[in-house]
Amino acid sequence: GCSKKSWGSQMRKSSLSKMKTEDVVSLFVVISREQGEALEKFETRKYNRIFGQVHALELELASRLGDQRAQLLPLLDHMNLQVKVNAAYALLPIAKSAAFATLKWVADSKYMPFAMYARGSVEAIEENDFPRGSNPNSIYRHAYLAQQAKKQQL
């Protein structure tokens, strides 16, 4: 398992590569929850810092034999919305329909601010304007900018 105090030291690439896959998934949940808390408290700097950590875990899973990102599939049903959303973004390249359905559910849920980010990404995917191979940071930025552009048109 992973405690909040220890995950920072585990984020080095050398440490990640030595971890069991289930521990990488557990760490994904821990830091996604922390990112969600930061989002709810408008702690933008902390929220953004965690992007790179979530992406590092995604890349670690993808680099493992057989692409172990599929281990994140159960997280699409997680009770924490940020865990759901982060799992959906990580799974888009390998399980697009399940990931998209999760993003759509979050977008339709109206649970702010999670729904706003998910809505922008759903619209971008529907319009085929989704940055393939993007890290979560650019995906969120893309969704946010798309949302802002729509607001200005109104």
Side-chain angles (χ1 to χ4, degrees):
C2 300
S3 71
K4 218 180 234 191
K5 290 177 184 169
S6 68
W7 68 256
S9 62
Q10 295 176 26
M11 288 304 300
R12 287 186 291 280
K13 174 70 179 139
S14 60
S15 299
L16 287 180
S17 63
K18 293 174 188 162
M19 290 173 68
K20 292 185 209 161
T21 297
E22 55 266 26
D23 291 337
V24 175
V25 172
S26 294
L27 188 55
F28 186 95
V29 172
V30 169
I31 66 170
S32 293
R33 281 185 150 151
E34 188 166 329
Q35 188 181 35
E37 290 169 17
L39 181 61
E40 289 177 313
K41 295 175 184 173
F42 303 101
E43 294 173 338
T44 308
R45 192 178 264 159
K46 182 177 182 180
Y47 179 78
N48 289 336
R49 186 186 78 241
I50 295 172
F51 274 130
Q53 296 164 344
V54 170
H55 189 55
L57 294 171
E58 177 187 341
L59 291 176
E60 177 58 34
L61 290 170
S63 73
R64 292 184 177 203
L65 187 63
D67 190 342
Q68 295 299 306
R69 284 178 292 183
Q71 299 300 315
L72 299 174
L73 277 165
L75 301 183
L76 295 179
D77 294 322
H78 200 278
M79 61 198 293
N80 182 284
L81 290 177
Q82 190 67 42
V83 173
K84 270 185 194 295
V85 168
N86 284 352
Y89 283 128
L91 288 163
L92 275 170
I94 64 163
K96 186 175 179 179
S97 59
F100 180 77
T102 299
L103 289 173
K104 190 149 178 40
W105 184 90
V106 173
D108 293 343
S109 74
K110 309 285 190 251
Y111 291 116
M112 292 298 176
F114 307 98
M116 180 184 75
Y117 287 111
R119 166 64 42 218
S121 296
V122 164
E123 291 171 359
I125 293 166
E126 288 174 337
E127 295 166 10
N128 273 333
D129 189 26
F130 200 68
R132 282 177 185 74
S134 297
N135 68 40
N137 195 4
S138 62
I139 291 170
Y140 274 103
R141 184 178 297 124
H142 180 84
Y144 173 77
L145 293 173
Q147 198 81 20
Q148 296 308 307
K150 279 205 173 10
K151 284 181 184 173
Q152 290 177 355
Q153 290 170 0
L154 298 176

